[in-house]
């Protein structure tokens, strides 16, 4: 089946982005191995440059631009991490970038993007409204880089899959935070091409789970966007979804939901037991494991996808007991 992106595209992406991204480690988690009773490792992708995996896809998309497109610049719409990644990748490539955001995006993420030298346009109360502004700029000649539904972005995210297989060849389950599905699609294409027996699991928050609801409906559907600790997992998959819906539907064994308090507990666990600072969405795999919603029975890698959250919010989450942490988040 042709999904638009091949293993060769992912291997090429790896060469394209080598100078811009770091190769992140996959390390055994002693605390989660003990709790789950199977070997659990963590792919520390939150330690990526710009604080999330999004730089891989963005850097690959920038690397494949024509001279004419480079001259006109790129535009992106993003809950934060993709915008940050495109801004940084564009700066490294010497290309102008405009990032379109909704009013729901946390202030720390907006500032981080401005600091990277990109122009920021803030419009509307949802990702979809911010997208309209981006499409307007695309009409004016800029190149639109989708955060997930884009061949070069999917190939870039797939490079994570190659690294995990090299570092943990005995892996049987790979657990990935899921929103638009670019990350999960890239990883699925890379891993299934080499190891079709590895099981892939996508995890998302129950509040506004667009891909989950679309899989259930059998076609891309819209969901209401609501505030969540996992703000980087918000947004739709696009009613005109070209790639990620088909890839996730055909290559991924299971998608499951986690609750807000489970995400909060997972962020706390990552900090207290693993000394890792994670944003809510990045802790989705840990939440699935700790809550018992996922019970894998072989070696498992959890992808930790990002660390960009407000550090005062993180402080409230990780201090005190979990009920206090929950109140702190909802306050
Ligand atoms: C974007 C993002 C995701 C989800 O990636 P998709 O490709 O949209 O599924 C997960 N975690 C973090 C930290 C992100 O920024």
């Amino acid at each position: 089946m042709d999904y638009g992106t091949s293993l060769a595209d992912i291997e090429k992406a790896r060469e394209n982005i080598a100078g811009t991204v770091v190769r992140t480690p996959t390390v055994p988690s002693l605390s989660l191995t003990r709790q789950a009773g199977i070997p659990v490792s963590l792919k520390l992708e939150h330690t990526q440059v710009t604080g999330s995996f999004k730089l891989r896809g963005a850097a690959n998309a920038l690397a494949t631009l024509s001279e004419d497109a480079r001259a006109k610049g790129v535009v992106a719409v993003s809950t934060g991490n993709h915008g940050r990644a495109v801004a940084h990748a564009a700066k490294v490539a010497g290309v102008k970038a405009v990032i379109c955001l909704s009013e729901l995006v946390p202030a720390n993420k907006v500032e981080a993007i401005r600091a990277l030298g990109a122009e920021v346009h803030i419009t509307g109360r949802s990702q979809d409204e911010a997208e309209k502004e981006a499409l307007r700029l695309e009409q004016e000649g800029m190149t639109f880089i989708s955060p997930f539904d884009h061949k070069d972005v999917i190939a870039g995210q797939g490079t994570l899959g190659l690294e995990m297989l090299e570092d943990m060849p005995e892996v049987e389950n790979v657990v990935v935070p899921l929103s638009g599905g670019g990350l999960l699609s890239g990883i699925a294409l890379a891993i299934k091409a080499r190891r079709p027996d590895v099981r892939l699991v996508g995890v998302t928050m129950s509040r506004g789970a667009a891909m989950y609801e679309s899989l259930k409906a059998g076609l891309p559907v819209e969901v209401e966007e609501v505030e969540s600790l996992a703000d980087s997992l918000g947004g739709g998959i696009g009613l005109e979804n070209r790639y990620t819906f088909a890839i996730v539907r055909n290559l991924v064994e299971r998608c499951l939901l986690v609750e807000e308090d489970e995400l909060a507990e997972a962020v706390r666990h990552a900090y207290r037991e693993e000394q890792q600072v994670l944003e809510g969405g990045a802790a989705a795999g840990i939440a699935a494991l700790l809550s018992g919603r996922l019970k894998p029975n072989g070696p498992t890698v959890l992808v930790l996808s990002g660390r960009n959250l407000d550090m005062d919010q993180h402080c409230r989450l990780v201090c005190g007991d979990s009920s206090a942490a929950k109140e702190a988040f909802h306050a």
Side-chain angles (χ1 to χ4, degrees):
M1 182 122 181
D2 182 14
Y3 293 113
T5 303
S6 65
L7 181 59
D9 294 328
I10 298 171
E11 282 163 344
K12 181 74 175 65
R14 199 174 188 179
E15 289 167 27
N16 289 343
I17 68 178
T20 309
V21 308
V22 294
R23 190 188 192 290
T24 55
T26 302
V27 298
S29 161
L30 301 185
S31 73
L32 292 168
T33 295
R34 196 168 58 238
Q35 294 213 5
I38 41 126
V40 178
S41 288
L42 305 174
K43 172 68 167 165
L44 305 183
E45 185 64 12
H46 61 301
T47 65
Q48 185 54 262
V49 182
T50 72
S52 86
F53 72 89
K54 292 272 191 343
L55 187 60
R56 294 178 188 251
N60 194 44
L62 262 295
T64 47
L65 288 181
S66 68
E67 263 317 305
D68 179 51
R70 284 177 56 88
K72 290 182 172 144
V74 295
V75 57
V77 55
S78 166
T79 53
N81 285 338
H82 175 62
R84 196 163 168 153
V86 169
H88 182 68
K91 190 173 175 190
V92 169
V95 171
K96 174 188 164 149
V98 175
I99 310 299
C100 303
L101 304 175
S102 92
E103 289 158 9
L104 292 181
V105 176
N108 65 319
K109 292 193 173 181
V110 176
E111 274 323 302
I113 290 166
R114 284 212 178 101
L116 287 169
E119 209 174 294
V120 177
H121 293 192
I122 297 178
T123 34
R125 293 284 300 166
S126 74
Q127 180 108 339
D128 291 343
E129 283 179 58
E131 190 157 330
K132 284 191 194 128
E133 170 69 359
L135 294 177
R136 189 184 68 76
L137 293 170
E138 185 184 32
Q139 301 271 303
E140 290 180 2
M142 298 186 90
T143 297
F144 177 66
I145 303 180
S146 160
F148 55 89
D149 206 25
H150 183 299
K151 283 192 229 185
D152 300 323
V153 169
I154 292 168
Q157 320 309 26
T159 60
L160 263 157
L162 300 180
E163 293 175 6
M164 285 188 283
L165 280 185
E166 286 164 9
D167 292 349
M168 198 186 187
E170 71 279 20
V171 67
E172 290 175 16
N173 308 283
V174 174
V175 185
V176 182
L178 171 63
S179 176
L183 177 61
L184 184 52
S185 293
I187 290 174
L189 289 167
I191 289 185
K192 293 286 184 181
R194 291 210 165 140
R195 289 276 312 280
D197 58 305
V198 172
R199 280 174 54 86
L200 289 158
V201 181
V203 185
T204 195
M205 74 294 190
S206 64
R207 293 164 68 90
M211 182 64 83
Y212 181 90
E213 293 301 333
S214 299
L215 291 169
K216 226 166 68 178
L219 78 176
V221 295
E222 271 174 351
V223 294
E224 194 194 344
E225 207 178 319
V226 286
E227 226 172 304
S228 165
L229 178 54
D231 58 276
S232 61
L233 301 187
I237 69 165
L239 293 179
E240 314 278 291
N241 187 289
R242 279 179 298 171
Y243 305 111
T244 62
F245 176 70
I247 297 170
V248 172
R249 184 172 57 177
N250 293 330
L251 296 184
V252 171
E253 273 73 16
R254 187 170 172 206
C255 290
L256 60 91
L257 302 178
V258 290
E259 299 299 327
E260 292 297 306
D261 58 339
E262 293 162 353
L263 287 168
E265 185 53 36
V267 171
R268 285 182 81 230
H269 182 97
Y271 185 72
R272 298 193 152 221
E273 306 294 330
E274 300 288 337
Q275 293 74 43
Q276 302 294 341
V277 172
L278 295 184
E279 55 182 278
I286 297 180
L289 211 61
L290 286 181
S291 64
R293 291 177 189 277
L294 180 68
K295 294 192 172 74
N297 53 17
T300 298
V301 180
L302 311 181
V303 176
L304 307 184
S305 50
R307 65 172 172 206
N308 292 319
L309 85 170
D310 181 88
M311 288 311 287
D312 293 331
Q313 182 190 4
H314 185 262
C315 232
R316 290 194 298 275
L317 269 171
V318 299
C319 296
D321 61 41
S322 28
S323 61
K326 212 165 116 189
E327 279 162 28
F329 166 61
H330 289 293

